[in-house]
Amino acid sequence: MLAVRALLLSAALFVVAPLAAWLALAFGPDPVALQAAQPLRELERDYEGSASCEACHPAQHASWARTFHATMTQLPRGAAVLGKFDGQPVAFYGRSATPFERDGEFWMRLPDARGEREARVALCVGSNRYQQYFELAGAALGDTYVRLPLLWHVGEQRWMHLNGVFLEPDNPDWSVHASSWNDNCVFCHNTAPVPRLALSSEAVPSKSFDTTVAELGIACEACHGPGERHVARMASPVERYRAHLDDAPSSDIVHPAKVGQMESLAVCGQCHSQRLPEPLERITEFLEQGASFRPGSALAGHVRPITRDTPPIDAHNGRIFSDRFWRDGSARLSAYEYLGVTQSPCMQSSAFTCGSCHVMHSGDVHGNIEPDKRGDAACTQCHEDIARDPRAHTHHDPARSGSRCLECHMPRMVYGILDIHRSHRIEVPDPKRDIEAGRPNACTSCHLDRGAAWAAESMRAWWGERFAAPSSRPDGAPLELADSIASLHSGDAVLRAVYAKQLGRADAALGARQKAFAVSNLIVALGDGYPSIRGIARRSLRALDAELGLGLAAELEGFDVFSSVDERRTRLLALLKRAQQALRSRSDAARPETLLDANLALDLERVTQLLNLQSDHVISIGE
């Protein structure tokens, strides 16, 4: 009998084992289980993970998965790593590092006080404009992740040092931006992060972390809220059918378009707004348990957006917050979009929200925006009367950039990620307000050869006496100069960065020959004390060189914005000489407002006078 039982048991095992294998092959691995098993993941506190959403919402899951939100934070595996870890050394500030690959892992050989060390990449942050890398400096997964000094710039396809990407002067300290992921990047670049900061009991306490996230990157529940109750309810076919027939907002999941205006804005504003806990004393709670905000709520009561008037929290840096804003309170750094929108008349007098222009599940992933919303449709969806006769409103050719709503009402004047972006404070340009506040003006950002007085006269002729001429610039530069040139040479660091970008724009209100004056002035900006400004100026020069056919491509390609002061000066002077020769056959007659003489030579004496007007206040702002 025992022998028979043994034979039957063996037969049963023989049958069950192939059946289990067949089931695995037929249905594949469980995506929910696989996702939950990833490092740093903790599906507690009512969270389910995006894999649970895919079963019922495959189209939405697919459209989200193609966005840069989905790949904001990734483990360093295969195609997730964008940088070239090819073993080639890269040099910055007189020292070199080598990104390389070993046994399928990604490493950097870095200089340190003892010579050099090797750091293994444990996390990748970013996938659109550039990608940063973090090593695990703590003892275990979830402990301290520290930012490495090199990042990969996707557009330039090259390695860059963090010191040359953030808005700050040259700094040879390779470790100045070695911040931790756990109490910084984790909050906005992941879903439902819990830092779990722990301080030791020593007199000078050390800190450690046991950080977890519901999901790496910005996933479904970052915008729709914790999904456990919704998933459980939708397991019932009856509930699914009822939800299909009823378009009313669900009580167990958040639809950003079906909540109140402030609640809808908060979905994006939880990250697209630099903010502090409200009240500030909750900072310890946030660093231990994570932020208290959940989609469906307004930000008020959870966090308070930072403004120009926010009291500094660093006694050694009284301008830590005010430096991030123009003097009129408009943001001049990225990640303040929520503040800009809430300062706008459009939001204050209508149901305007982020979703009025941006979408997550369709459109261009670069900005998450429908193609038509990059143009006038973003505004004419509400301002239909203007759309019927644009020239009557703009006084510009309807086919040119001067009639584009965004160019006038959301100009590019915000620094971030080594580029200049649109302000999200929707407003009417005002030359006096803008120039006297030391900020860019929409008119002179397009009419690059014109001064502030001309802009004010034009506005007054069209719109009335309320548009007065500015009386002075904060930097003291002459008002009769082209505003773009005065700002490029005399403005503070952010203003210089903005006009380094604008002087290379293809859609300016000038023909190619009319904006040739920008070339020599931008070459001067290659000597700026801020490497990020030099990088933007070089990019604009490459664009102008291509547009004008100056033949400077090789010299510009060989100009390293991270090289020594002496090397930059030598190359800069050579470029100025070459540019003057090349411009003689490719430029219209020079105007004195642009600092070129009749021979198209740059008036270096006047340029030097303008450079000497630059403020001695150093702006140093990371991201």
Side-chain angles (χ1 to χ4, degrees), residues 322-556:
S322 60
D323 275 347
R324 300 161 185 249
F325 302 89
W326 302 108
R327 294 187 183 196
D328 66 350
S330 300
R332 58 183 191 165
L333 290 181
S334 56
Y336 288 83
E337 292 79 14
Y338 172 90
L339 178 65
V341 170
T342 55
Q343 290 173 325
S344 302
C346 292
M347 175 264 166
Q348 296 163 3
S349 62
S350 73
F352 185 85
T353 68
C354 307
S356 299
C357 299
H358 294 277
V359 289
M360 178 60 71
H361 294 291
S362 62
D364 185 356
V365 295
H366 295 276
N368 294 111
I369 192 167
E370 295 283 11
D372 67 318
K373 296 297 174 58
R374 291 193 182 279
D376 296 341
C379 301
T380 58
Q381 61 178 316
C382 295
H383 300 277
E384 296 176 350
D385 55 328
I386 293 174
R388 286 191 286 271
D389 188 2
R391 188 187 291 274
H393 175 73
T394 68
H395 300 276
H396 285 71
D397 181 348
R400 300 290 301 275
S401 58
S403 281
R404 301 287 73 77
C405 308
L406 301 184
E407 297 304 327
C408 295
H409 301 291
M410 294 179 64
R412 297 183 188 276
M413 62 180 211
V414 173
Y415 180 87
I417 333 177
L418 202 59
D419 209 346
I420 306 300
H421 310 275
R422 293 199 183 281
S423 170
H424 278 63
R425 184 175 189 170
I426 305 167
E427 59 185 358
V428 175
D430 183 337
K432 178 179 175 63
R433 177 202 66 201
D434 299 341
I435 303 305
E436 292 183 354
R439 53 161 274 187
N441 172 254
C443 305
T444 59
S445 293
C446 189
H447 295 272
L448 296 163
D449 60 339
R450 297 291 189 170
W454 171 88
E457 289 169 8
S458 299
M459 292 289 287
R460 191 162 54 250
W462 293 332
W463 301 106
E465 293 301 316
R466 67 189 180 98
F467 290 102
S471 58
S472 64
R473 294 173 54 98
D475 51 38
L479 286 171
E480 62 268 18
L481 286 178
D483 186 45
S484 64
I485 300 305
S487 299
L488 179 71
H489 297 317
S490 299
D492 76 359
V494 190
L495 191 63
R496 300 200 305 273
V498 170
Y499 278 99
K501 168 79 172 187
Q502 298 291 43
L503 282 162
R505 61 184 290 183
D507 63 344
L510 303 171
R513 295 177 63 89
Q514 293 174 311
K515 60 182 176 183
F517 72 88
V519 174
S520 297
N521 284 284
L522 281 168
I523 289 174
V524 172
L526 292 178
D528 198 281
Y530 287 65
S532 52
I533 297 175
R534 299 196 296 266
I536 294 172
R538 178 173 174 265
R539 194 183 308 153
S540 289
L541 280 165
R542 290 159 74 180
L544 288 170
D545 177 65
E547 185 177 2
L548 289 163
L550 299 176
L552 303 178
E555 288 95 330
L556 291 170

Side-chain angles (χ1 to χ4, degrees), residues 248-264:
S250 172
S251 62
D252 52 33
I253 204 73
V254 174
H255 192 312
K258 297 181 180 181
V259 294
Q261 183 183 36
M262 296 309 298
E263 289 77 13
S264 180

Side-chain angles (χ1 to χ4, degrees), residues 83-360:
K84 290 184 178 179
F85 287 78
D86 55 5
Q88 297 299 311
V90 289
F92 300 99
Y93 301 110
R95 309 174 82 179
S96 64
T98 303
F100 65 97
E101 193 173 349
R102 177 196 293 155
D103 299 328
E105 296 181 327
F106 299 89
W107 295 74
M108 289 187 189
R109 190 173 296 115
L110 302 167
D112 70 359
R114 294 171 293 181
E116 65 178 24
R117 70 181 185 89
E118 291 185 350
R120 182 177 66 85
V121 174
L123 283 177
C124 307
V125 175
S127 59
N128 182 9
R129 296 177 182 270
Y130 54 58
Q131 188 171 69
Q132 301 181 50
Y133 302 96
F134 291 74
E135 65 174 325
L136 176 59
L141 286 175
D143 204 344
T144 309
Y145 292 83
V146 175
R147 181 161 54 189
L148 297 172
L150 302 186
L151 62 75
W152 179 257
H153 195 284
V154 177
E156 297 280 346
Q157 284 292 291
R158 61 163 290 181
W159 289 102
M160 291 187 178
H161 200 287
L162 290 173
N163 297 12
V165 173
F166 298 157
L167 192 66
E168 61 183 7
D170 287 298
N171 187 344
D173 182 354
W174 273 57
S175 62
V176 69
H177 290 295
S179 59
S180 65
W181 172 81
N182 311 68
D183 54 2
N184 188 355
C185 318
V186 71
F187 283 106
C188 279
H189 292 175
N190 302 279
T191 302
V194 181
R196 291 200 180 97
L197 168 67
L199 297 175
S200 68
S201 58
E202 301 160 354
V204 180
S206 61
K207 65 180 183 180
S208 62
F209 296 91
D210 182 19
T211 302
T212 62
V213 298
E215 194 158 347
L216 290 173
I218 303 162
C220 310
E221 290 164 298
C223 300
H224 297 285
E228 183 181 58
R229 288 175 53 223
H230 182 71
V231 170
R233 184 168 68 88
M234 289 298 113
S236 163
V238 174
E239 288 295 327
R240 291 200 300 273
Y241 190 70
R242 180 182 291 131
H244 180 71
L245 294 177
D246 185 1
D247 193 47
S250 172
S251 62
D252 52 33
I253 204 73
V254 174
H255 192 312
K258 297 181 180 181
V259 294
Q261 183 183 36
M262 296 309 298
E263 289 77 13
S264 180
L265 287 166
V267 170
C268 303
Q270 62 175 310
C271 289
H272 289 270
S273 174
Q274 294 288 351
R275 61 225 171 275
L276 294 171
E278 186 179 23
L280 184 60
E281 289 72 28
R282 295 182 68 192
I283 185 67
T284 302
E285 172 195 335
F286 279 33
L287 290 173
E288 292 174 350
Q289 304 171 28
S292 60
F293 171 81
R294 295 292 180 270
S297 301
L299 291 186
H302 300 279
V303 294
R304 183 187 299 274
I306 292 170
T307 70
R308 192 173 192 272
D309 298 324
T310 298
I313 56 175
D314 183 352
H316 302 289
N317 187 356
R319 297 175 65 168
I320 186 172
F321 296 139
S322 60
D323 275 347
R324 300 161 185 249
F325 302 89
W326 302 108
R327 294 187 183 196
D328 66 350
S330 300
R332 58 183 191 165
L333 290 181
S334 56
Y336 288 83
E337 292 79 14
Y338 172 90
L339 178 65
V341 170
T342 55
Q343 290 173 325
S344 302
C346 292
M347 175 264 166
Q348 296 163 3
S349 62
S350 73
F352 185 85
T353 68
C354 307
S356 299
C357 299
H358 294 277
V359 289
M360 178 60 71

